[in-house]
């Protein structure tokens, strides 16, 4: 009788551990695949060279996204809210910069979005020379001294960062 109980316990233990072993093997295999995928992605990221930003296109795109078609009362035709404008700007600018620009140039009122009638800030003149300095692999700074009738002499610094596989304008400063 003891023999039969011992054999039954042994068979039960083998059945139990073999089931666990299969489950542990499956978990280990999935973990190995995740680790290998991570290693491959990191290796691929290191071998991918990030091209420098197209600063002229990004600078022009930002201004083009701020200037909106409006009706006679400055009601914006394409967007209904400041949040929509911010999302539109975030295709070429950081979240923080997009929010700052939207707060200055747009107002929500009377069930719509309105452009504030004002002059745009002084901006880079892509027809004139500028300096583009690489700060890191993922950051560049454009500097240009300029002059306009409205703003006089000024220097603009624009910071570009590589974020989510795209170059965007992080911020800018007018001096």
């Amino acid at each position: 009788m003891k023999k039969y109980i011992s054999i039954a316990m042994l068979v039960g233990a083998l059945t139990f551990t073999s089931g666990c072993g299969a489950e542990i093997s499956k978990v280990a295999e999935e973990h190995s695949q995740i680790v290998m995928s991570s290693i491959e992605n990191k290796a691929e990221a290191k071998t991918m060279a990030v091209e420098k930003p197209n600063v002229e296109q990004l600078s022009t795109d930002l201004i083009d996204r701020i200037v909106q078609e409006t009706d006679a009362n400055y009601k914006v035709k394409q967007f209904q809210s400041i949040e929509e404008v911010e999302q539109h700007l975030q295709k070429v600018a950081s979240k923080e910069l997009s929010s700052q620009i939207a707060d200055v140039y747009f107002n929500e009122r009377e069930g719509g979005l309105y452009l504030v009638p004002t002059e745009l800030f002084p901006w880079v003149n892509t027809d004139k020379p500028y300096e583009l300095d690489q700060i890191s692999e993922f950051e560049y700074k454009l500097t240009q001294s300029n002059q306009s009738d409205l703003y006089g002499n000024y220097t603009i610094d624009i910071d570009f960062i590589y974020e989510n596989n795209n170059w965007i304008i992080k911020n800018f400063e007018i001096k």
Side-chain angles (χ1 to χ4, degrees):
M1 180 78 168
K2 281 185 175 182
K3 259 186 181 181
Y4 294 116
I5 294 174
S6 295
I7 291 174
M9 286 176 57
L10 179 62
V11 170
L14 287 175
T15 304
F16 178 74
T17 58
S18 68
C20 288
E23 191 63 32
I24 289 172
S25 293
K26 185 179 177 185
V27 169
E29 183 180 329
E30 289 173 0
H31 178 71
S32 293
Q33 289 174 350
I34 291 169
V35 168
M36 288 306 293
S37 174
S38 175
I39 290 169
E40 289 168 3
N41 288 342
K42 287 178 182 174
E44 183 180 322
K46 286 183 179 180
T47 60
M48 273 181 23
V50 175
E51 304 254 339
K52 72 179 183 177
N54 185 339
V55 296
E56 292 180 14
Q57 185 65 53
L58 285 167
S59 300
T60 301
D61 283 354
L62 179 61
I63 297 301
D64 290 346
R65 288 173 182 274
I66 296 169
V67 177
Q68 292 293 314
E69 185 178 353
T70 65
D71 65 15
N73 296 318
Y74 298 104
K75 185 174 182 179
V76 176
K77 293 183 178 183
Q78 185 177 356
F79 302 107
Q80 307 305 313
S81 70
I82 287 180
E83 183 178 311
E84 288 179 35
V85 170
E86 287 177 359
Q87 290 173 353
H88 182 64
L89 294 171
Q90 286 174 23
K91 290 182 171 75
V92 295
S94 69
K95 186 174 183 174
E96 296 80 19
L97 180 58
S98 297
S99 179
Q100 291 170 357
I101 290 171
D103 287 346
V104 169
Y105 290 100
F106 298 92
N107 282 326
E108 279 184 65
R109 65 177 196 276
E110 301 167 16
L113 182 69
Y114 292 82
L115 186 65
V116 176
T118 186
E119 291 290 329
L120 282 173
F121 42 80
W123 199 236
V124 64
N125 182 341
T126 57
D127 295 330
K128 294 192 176 183
Y130 55 82
E131 290 179 31
L132 185 61
D133 297 318
Q134 184 174 6
I135 308 304
S136 73
E137 183 180 4
F138 303 107
E139 188 172 358
Y140 281 78
K141 180 184 286 285
L142 178 147
T143 302
Q144 182 182 58
S145 294
N146 224 331
Q147 190 277 331
S148 75
D149 292 338
L150 183 61
Y151 295 106
N153 293 324
Y154 65 91
T155 299
I156 184 168
D157 290 325
I158 305 174
D159 295 320
F160 298 88
I161 59 167
Y162 192 75
E163 187 174 272
N164 299 322
N165 297 321
N166 292 303
W167 284 103
I168 60 171
I169 298 171
K170 180 179 179 183
N171 57 37
F172 66 92
E173 180 181 14
I174 310 293
K175 303 179 226 171

